[in-house]
């Protein structure tokens, strides 16, 4: 099958598909939903880090010299820091950071749209590198997007959106991934020398999500049982990537 079709399929799965899966999970009981969502988040921590260190960085390093790859990754981390800061500023401006929910809802959607747009580019860059890389990246995207979408649903519903409206807006913000992914596919296909850079920047995004977003979230639970569960599921996520690389 043509790479473009794979990219499209993966983009739909990673964006709109994640929203759909998340909204199906809303049918579960609240407690079950919370547990499932948390466990997915732990596995996602492992797949994101695994994809960076067993997939994206080694591949990028095989195409470009090490100092350039690592410098690109470093610059990427700074960019994602700034991007997150801008979104937080906008969230805090009129509420002194009290997270007034009515103000937070549009910002959640805009921030999410940006984030999904980047995931779309990462998926395209993954498939243009190889089908294995594409699959690895898509799995990592879906696993961290489902808990993310569930959290967004929660915020939208709390701020007074109907379920239908929350779903509609979430789908819309997810769809940005399809637009940027297809655009990135055609650009990178024309400009193959950009692929190792795109992989290095994708690695920064995954590193940032895993280390700056997911792991701090995990540290909010401190019991021995929860900590062990987290550790085992992070390892499981890494193992999923490992078998994808070494099958
Ligand atoms: Zn994402």
């Amino acid at each position: 099958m043509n790479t473009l079709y794979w990219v499209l399929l993966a983009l739909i799965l990673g964006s709109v598909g994640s929203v759909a899966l998340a909204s199906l999970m809303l049918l579960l009981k609240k407690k079950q939903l919370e547990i499932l969502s948390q466990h997915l988040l732990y596995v996602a921590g492992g797949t994101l880090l695994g994809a960076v260190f067993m997939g994206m960085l080694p591949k990028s390093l095989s195409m470009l010299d090490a100092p350039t790859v690592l410098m690109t990754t470093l610059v990427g981390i700074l960019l994602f820091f700034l991007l997150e800061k801008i979104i937080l500023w906008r969230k805090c401006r009129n509420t002194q950071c009290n997270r007034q929910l009515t103000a937070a809802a549009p910002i959640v959607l805009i921030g999410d749209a940006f984030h999904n747009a980047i995931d779309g580019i990462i998926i395209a860059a993954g498939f243009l590198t190889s089908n294995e890389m594409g699959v690895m990246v898509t799995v990592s995207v879906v696993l961290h997007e489902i808990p993310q979408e569930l959290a967004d649903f929660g915020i939208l519903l709390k701020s007074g959106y109907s379920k239908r409206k929350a779903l509609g807006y979430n789908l819309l913000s997810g769809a940005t991934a399809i637009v940027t992914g297809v655009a990135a596919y055609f650009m990178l296909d024309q400009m193959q020398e950009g692929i190792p850079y795109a992989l290095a920047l994708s690695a920064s995004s995954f590193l940032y999500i895993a280390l700056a977003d997911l792991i701090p979230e995990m540290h909010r639970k401190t019991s021995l049982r929860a900590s062990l569960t987290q550790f085992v599921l992070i390892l499981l996520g890494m193992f999923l990537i490992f078998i994808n690389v070494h099958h």
Side-chain angles (χ1 to χ4, degrees):
M1 197 158 75
N2 186 309
T3 310
L4 179 59
Y5 291 122
W6 284 113
V7 172
L8 266 176
L9 201 69
L11 286 171
I12 291 169
L13 187 68
S15 59
V16 180
S18 303
V19 177
L21 283 173
S23 49
L24 269 184
M25 284 170 59
L26 288 176
L27 298 173
L28 291 171
K29 291 205 186 75
K30 199 167 176 228
K31 190 70 201 161
Q32 292 170 327
L33 177 67
E34 211 179 292
I35 292 171
L36 181 58
S37 168
Q38 269 167 359
H39 285 60
L40 282 175
L41 190 137
Y42 304 155
V43 179
T47 56
L48 288 165
L49 289 172
V52 168
F53 290 106
M54 292 181 255
M56 296 153 162
L57 285 182
K59 187 70 200 175
S60 181
L61 285 164
S62 74
M63 301 160 92
L64 209 63
D65 64 293
T68 312
V69 171
L70 296 178
M71 186 53 83
T72 308
T73 311
L74 184 60
V75 170
I77 288 173
L78 281 175
L79 286 177
F80 289 113
F81 171 80
L82 290 176
L83 185 65
E84 190 169 34
K85 196 55 106 181
I86 291 166
I87 290 166
L88 287 175
W89 270 335
R90 299 191 51 175
K91 197 183 280 175
C92 292
R93 198 170 50 194
N94 43 15
T95 60
Q96 290 164 338
C97 235
N98 283 329
R99 280 268 199 135
Q100 204 176 1
L101 283 168
T102 42
I107 294 305
V108 163
L109 287 167
I110 293 167
D112 216 28
F114 261 108
H115 174 96
N116 291 326
I118 292 163
D119 280 347
I121 298 170
I122 295 173
I123 288 175
F127 275 99
L128 280 170
T129 308
S130 68
N131 281 347
E132 284 76 22
M133 184 76 75
V135 170
M136 188 189 301
V137 165
T138 307
V139 168
S140 306
V141 166
V142 172
L143 283 176
H144 81 257
E145 275 309 308
I146 292 175
Q148 180 61 54
E149 298 297 350
L150 282 170
D152 292 351
F153 264 123
I155 294 175
L156 295 181
L157 293 180
K158 261 188 228 159
S159 58
Y161 285 54
S162 66
K163 274 193 179 161
R164 213 191 146 112
K165 207 171 158 192
L167 176 64
Y169 279 116
N170 254 347
L171 284 172
L172 203 65
S173 97
T176 55
I178 301 176
V179 178
T180 54
V182 171
Y185 172 83
F186 284 112
M187 275 175 64
L188 285 172
D189 200 28
Q190 287 301 307
M191 221 177 55
Q192 299 272 339
E193 64 275 17
I195 289 176
Y197 294 93
L199 284 175
L201 288 173
S202 304
S204 337
S205 169
F206 275 17
L207 271 178
Y208 197 89
I209 296 167
L211 298 178
D213 293 332
L214 301 192
I215 288 185
E217 177 72 29
M218 293 182 208
H219 282 330
R220 288 167 55 180
K221 283 192 186 286
T222 50
S223 73
L224 181 64
R225 197 193 143 135
S227 310
L228 278 177
T229 308
Q230 292 174 351
F231 189 71
V232 169
L233 290 181
I234 291 173
L235 275 180
L236 173 71
M238 291 177 175
F239 184 68
L240 286 178
I241 300 296
F242 181 82
I243 47 178
N244 188 308
V245 177
H246 294 94
H247 71 276

